[in-house]
Amino acid sequence: MVRRSPPRVVVATVVVAWVLTVGAQVAAAVWGARGQEPVPPAPTRVERAEGCGDETCRVLASTVVNGMSVELLADSRGDAGRLRAGGPVSGTVTNTRITGDGVRLNHDSLRCAASATPVCLVRGPRDGGMAGEVHVWRGDSWEAVGEVYFSDLGVLVLDDVVGTAMPEVLVARETCTDRDGSCRELRAVAEVLTLDGARAGCTRARRSPGELPGWPDVEVGRTDLTTCPDGLDPR
């Protein structure tokens, strides 16, 4: 029996297909090798708006209030503090004032309260006591409210004392209760201030800070408040 060879057209088709297949494999190998080359990462961008003094800001403390991320930023010395809302990609940042008065921030400098709107207290040691400022979230940014508070006894916190929709500022202070103003003996009181700076009242003056309710984590209820001593200067 005589074996017939395949037609020339079939042979040509097979040859062309083989050439195309080999060419495709070579091309895939070349392009695949190129695609596996490491791509250098883009350099980290330092946003000028988030600079703390001459340094890049670092996160000192963070919390979540009313579902919103809040971070306290500062440089390596705790100066040039900033308060940021919304996380690292957010541009909602405001400067703090107390660092301009010589206060150095630390990991315990941020206190926030969940209320009708987020309220945060930024505080730090100064002159043997503690100074702080309050920021309220209004609209889509922070707004500093009130004056700089100072506690010569080192207790400065946010607390809902009088039962309103917003917290108050509780400040432990020393005061003079002598009628003649001689201040032979100082007394300790816890003063409660609303966010607009008005006095909600004070605790009864005690002989020592240790007699304040809950000392050193002072906790005051509405029934603990009475008229503030005459010798307690307004802040």
Side-chain angles (χ1 to χ4, degrees), residues 87-127:
V89 299
S90 172
T92 306
V93 184
T94 186
N95 293 325
T96 61
R97 295 174 292 174
I98 55 175
T99 49
D101 296 332
V103 174
R104 287 194 168 180
L105 305 177
N106 54 51
H107 297 292
D108 194 40
S109 289
L110 180 64
R111 288 288 186 275
C112 296
S115 55
T117 187
V119 180
C120 289
L121 171 70
V122 180
R123 64 184 192 175
R126 189 185 75 183
D127 300 334

Side-chain angles (χ1 to χ4, degrees), residues 81-172:
R82 313 193 78 186
L83 193 63
R84 179 169 65 189
V89 299
S90 172
T92 306
V93 184
T94 186
N95 293 325
T96 61
R97 295 174 292 174
I98 55 175
T99 49
D101 296 332
V103 174
R104 287 194 168 180
L105 305 177
N106 54 51
H107 297 292
D108 194 40
S109 289
L110 180 64
R111 288 288 186 275
C112 296
S115 55
T117 187
V119 180
C120 289
L121 171 70
V122 180
R123 64 184 192 175
R126 189 185 75 183
D127 300 334
M130 184 173 293
E133 61 185 275
V134 173
H135 294 261
V136 177
W137 184 258
R138 289 178 176 166
D140 57 357
S141 62
W142 291 111
E143 180 179 336
V145 297
E147 300 298 325
V148 173
Y149 302 93
F150 180 72
S151 167
D152 39 22
L153 296 178
V155 176
L156 184 60
V157 295
L158 291 173
D159 196 6
D160 184 5
V161 178
V162 300
T164 62
M166 301 293 283
E168 290 80 41
V169 182
L170 189 152
V171 187

